[in-house]
Each structure stands twice: as structure tokens, then as C-alpha cells.
């Protein structure tokens, strides 16, 4: 046991030195920091000078246009953050109080929070080990064994509740098997809502993540591939969903020169112009950022292959943005040793999220066999992933 610990400690020291060499610094290395190397200051000053710093202004429209041009979606609606985008996306496909939504347990808390904001309840199916995203096999098995069709609506036999949506998440920017999931959702008459918060710049067979379902959600938090400080985006090819998304994210206010008339309960979820200004500048640098991230991932992949450590790669047919690089260690003991050694040395690393079904808020939710998610929870570590561009 002591020999094993010493071997791990030496291996961890080698990894620390390798990562410091990649980033050419002896100082603190964050997990992921934004790259603000373009027109960010220029556009922010322009926004300030215009006095249009809230949710009205040219940069909001421009940022939306840049996103739908890049992703290939027909419509994009900017929101204050990715959670707000996902919340509204769920509302738009008809998720109501008392409904159930199938998702994956291996995800950031925002996925389940957005479901909860609708007063709906998550159901957890397993993930695939290679993609770390929702497993089509687990999804199909659950639906086949536990649901029935009632006048074109998928109903949970055990609870009598409507299965109102399926929400897969593209973990760390690694696309899941979204095409298979899309087909299953069509077969069982369930709307597909993509949590693409982490996958701007990720594709499956040439098609951008977030565009496979009826609607998708992106995030531009400070640690994402590009950032608006805080911010999100709803993307869809459905013009009616897009119109309604813009309406309810702007407090459901009817157009009028001066009267305040609202026709339903809405949300104050529109992205401020000052944040969108930052996003426009970031979009101008996106291709360079993505190139830098793939180069970094390639160097990690080659290094960890020599050390016989599994580096999380994109699956066949997919193209990842490699937002957060991840390695898969032997077990929880090696994982914990790795995390302590690297963080103590000022090289920020973190474990994958606690499984959602193990959090007290969601501990009583229905679940499938989650063996893959449980296996990954014990082993996956994120390592520094900032794009190395000037």
C-alpha cells in the first residue's frame, strides 16, 4: 500500500511539472479562465458611452445573430445565464407542475434546478462511460419498461405522471449520442431539450450540439469557452418557440410606446447589453480559442497515453470543444490523492460533480440502474483547460 502511495505521489509530481510546462508558469494555474484578448474593452466602452447598458441595445441583437450564425440554429434568444435559458426552454416545450423530466445524474446542478423551477421532478437514467453523457440504451430500457402511451403522451406507469421532456447534457463539451437519443424521443413522443451549456463549438456529424432537439440552451458563465460574465442563450429552429422565448424572457410585456401591459407571468431573463458587448468580442475570438483548446487536449492525450492514464476523448462521429479536459483514474483513492497533490501545488483540479440522485433534494427521485455514473463519479478529475492563446 505504501509503495502504491509513493508511486502515485511521484506520478502526480510529474503531472504537475508537465502542466506547468504547458502553461509556462510557476504560479497558480486555474481550472479555466477566460481569454479576453480582443475587442472586449472597446465594445464595453462603446456600450457605456451609449448608456444602453441594460437589456436593450445593439450588442444583444448582434450577439444573438453571431450565435445563430455559428451554431446553424435559425433563432437565438439571449438570457441572463444558462440556467435561465434551460428553465425557459423547458417551459416552452410544455413542462408543467407535476410533470416528470428524464435527465442524467452526472451533470451540474443547474440541469436539475431548471427542472425544479418548473415544479417538475427529474428521473435519472445512466450515462455512457466514454461520452459521460446520457446513455441511449439506458433511456430506451427505462422508457420501454416503465412508460405507456396515452393519446400520444408518454406516461410513467408507476406515478401516472407525464414524461414531459428528456434533457441530456453534453458533459465537459464531449457530445453524447444525441442522434440516437433524438430518435428515441420521437418514438416515445417526448420533447428533446438539449443542455448544451458546456458545448459551444461541439458537433455531431457536422451538426452543432443544441440543435438536435426542439430547443437547446447554451451558457456563457465566466468559466465557459467564451464568456459574457454571466449569460445564456436559447437556440431553436422553431420560429413560434423563438417568439415566445423572447416574449416571456422580457417579462411578457406587450409592445407599446409607453404603457406597461403584460399578458402572462413572465421572467426578467434578458441578457443586458453590457454583457452582450463582451460576448460579441468573445465570438470574434472563438475559433482561435477552440483551436487552442484542441491543441491543449492533444498534448494532454499524448502525455497521459504514455502514463497509461485514460484521457476523456470525443466519441466517433463527434467533434468536441474540449471545454474541460478530464482524466479517468483507477479509483477514489487515486482520485483523492491526485486532487490533494495538484491543488496543494497550486494546479487547480476538481472531481466530477456529485451525482444528482445523491443530493438530498433529489434523493427520492425515480432512477434507472446508474452503474456507469457511479463508476465515473469515483474516478473522473478535471484538469486545467484554459485556452493558451496570446
Amino acid at each position: 500500500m505504501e509503495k502504491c502511495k509513493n508511486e502515485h505521489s511521484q506520478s502526480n509530481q510529474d503531472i504537475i511539472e508537465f502542466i506547468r510546462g504547458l502553461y509556462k508558469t510557476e504560479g497558480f494555474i486555474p481550472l479555466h479562465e477566460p481569454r479576453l484578448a480582443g475587442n472586449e474593452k472597446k465594445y464595453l466602452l462603446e456600450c457605456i458611452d451609449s448608456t444602453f447598458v441594460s437589456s436593450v441595445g445593439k450588442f444583444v441583437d448582434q450577439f444573438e445573430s453571431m450565435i445563430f450564425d455559428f451554431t446553424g440554429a435559425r433563432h437565438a434568444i439571449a438570457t441572463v445565464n444558462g440556467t435561465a435559458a434551460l428553465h425557459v426552454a423547458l417551459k416552452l416545450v410544455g413542462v408543467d407542475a407535476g410533470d416528470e423530466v428524464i435527465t442524467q445524474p452526472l451533470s451540474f446542478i443547474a440541469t436539475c434546478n431548471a427542472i425544479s423551477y418548473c415544479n417538475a421532478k427529474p428521473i435519472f437514467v445512466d450515462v455512457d462511460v466514454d461520452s459521460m453523457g446520457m446513455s441511449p440504451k439506458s433511456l430506451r430500457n427505462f422508457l420501454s419498461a416503465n412508460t405507456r402511451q396515452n393519446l400520444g403522451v408518454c406516461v410513467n406507469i408507476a406515478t401516472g405522471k407525464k414524461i414531459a421532456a428528456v434533457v441530456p447534457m453534453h458533459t465537459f463539451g464531449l457530445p453524447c449520442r444525441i442522434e440516437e437519443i433524438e430518435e428515441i424521443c420521437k418514438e416515445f413522443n417526448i420533447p428533446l431539450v438539449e443542455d448544451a451549456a458546456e458545448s459551444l463549438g461541439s458537433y455531431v456529424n457536422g451538426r452543432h450540439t443544441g440543435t438536435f432537439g426542439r430547443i437547446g440552451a447554451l451558457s456563457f458563465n465566466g468559466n465557459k469557452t467564451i464568456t459574457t460574465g454571466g449569460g445564456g442563450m436559447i437556440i431553436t429552429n422553431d420560429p413560434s418557440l423563438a417568439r415566445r422565448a423572447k416574449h416571456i424572457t422580457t417579462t411578457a410585456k406587450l409592445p407599446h410606446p409607453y404603457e406597461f401591459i403584460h399578458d402572462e407571468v413572465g421572467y426578467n431573463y434578458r441578457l443586458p447589453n453590457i454583457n452582450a458587448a463582451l460576448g460579441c468580442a468573445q465570438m470574434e475570438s472563438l475559433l482561435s480559442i477552440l483551436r487552442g483548446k484542441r491543441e491543449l487536449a492533444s498534448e494532454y492525450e499524448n502525455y497521459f497515453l504514455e502514463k497509461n492514464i485514460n484521457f476523456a476523448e470525443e466519441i466517433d462521429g463527434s467533434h468536441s470543444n474540449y471545454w474541460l479536459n478530464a482524466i479517468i483514474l483507477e479509483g477514489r483513492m487515486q482520485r483523492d490523492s491526485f486532487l490533494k497533490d495538484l491543488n496543494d501545488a497550486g494546479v487547480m483540479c476538481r472531481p466530477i460533480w456529485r451525482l444528482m440522485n445523491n443530493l438530498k433534494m433529489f434523493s427520492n427521485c425515480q432512477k434507472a440502474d446508474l452503474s456507469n455514473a457511479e463508476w465515473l463519479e469515483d474516478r473522473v478529475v478535471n484538469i486545467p483547460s484554459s485556452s493558451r492563446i496570446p
Side-chain angles (χ1 to χ4, degrees), residues 177-196:
R177 291 178 170 84
I178 192 64
E179 292 175 317
E180 296 177 51
I181 293 170
E182 180 186 22
E183 288 303 311
I184 294 169
C185 288
K186 289 177 181 177
E187 180 181 340
F188 284 86
N189 299 310
I190 308 172
L192 171 59
V193 177
E194 279 181 84
D195 186 345

Side-chain angles (χ1 to χ4, degrees), residues 222-293:
N223 67 347
K224 293 300 192 296
T225 303
I226 67 164
T227 185
T228 57
M233 192 76 70
I234 298 165
I235 55 175
T236 182
N237 291 324
D238 187 325
S240 63
L241 288 183
R243 284 192 298 271
R244 182 154 164 73
K246 189 168 185 178
H247 181 59
I248 65 173
T249 56
T250 50
T251 68
K253 183 179 182 297
L254 297 176
H256 193 280
Y258 49 85
E259 289 279 8
F260 287 87
I261 304 170
H262 307 262
D263 61 355
E264 62 177 305
V265 173
Y267 305 92
N268 190 13
Y269 277 178
R270 283 291 274 170
L271 185 70
N273 197 45
I274 198 164
N275 296 88
L278 190 62
C280 290
Q282 287 273 280
M283 283 299 293
E284 292 172 353
S285 299
L286 177 57
L287 293 180
S288 295
I289 292 170
L290 290 171
R291 280 195 297 269
K293 292 181 75 60

Side-chain angles (χ1 to χ4, degrees), residues 146-180:
N146 296 282
T147 69
R148 60 180 174 83
Q149 293 292 309
N150 181 14
L151 301 177
V153 175
C154 188
V155 175
N156 187 333
I157 294 170
T159 64
K161 303 291 187 179
K162 179 178 73 174
I163 308 291
V166 169
V167 184
M169 199 269 283
H170 301 288
T171 306
F172 307 141
L174 297 167
C176 65
R177 291 178 170 84
I178 192 64
E179 292 175 317
E180 296 177 51

Side-chain angles (χ1 to χ4, degrees), residues 353-364:
W353 313 282
R354 298 278 180 94
L355 297 187
M356 295 297 103
N357 59 290
N358 289 333
L359 301 180
K360 65 179 182 179
M361 309 85 74
F362 308 116
S363 59
N364 64 341

Side-chain angles (χ1 to χ4, degrees), residues 324-389:
L324 278 188
N325 293 297
I327 56 175
I328 304 173
L329 299 172
E330 294 172 0
R332 190 173 284 263
M333 181 179 295
Q334 187 188 11
R335 185 203 74 168
D336 290 348
S337 170
F338 183 96
L339 288 167
K340 184 178 189 313
D341 287 351
L342 270 76
N343 282 291
D344 284 352
V347 178
M348 186 177 178
C349 299
R350 74 177 192 195
I352 204 166
W353 313 282
R354 298 278 180 94
L355 297 187
M356 295 297 103
N357 59 290
N358 289 333
L359 301 180
K360 65 179 182 179
M361 309 85 74
F362 308 116
S363 59
N364 64 341
C365 293
Q366 191 174 1
K367 62 183 180 181
D369 176 83
L370 304 178
S371 298
N372 289 343
E374 291 164 355
W375 188 89
L376 289 166
E377 183 187 28
D378 283 342
R379 292 166 173 81
V380 174
V381 170
N382 291 121
I383 53 180
S385 302
S386 304
S387 183
R388 298 169 304 155
I389 62 173

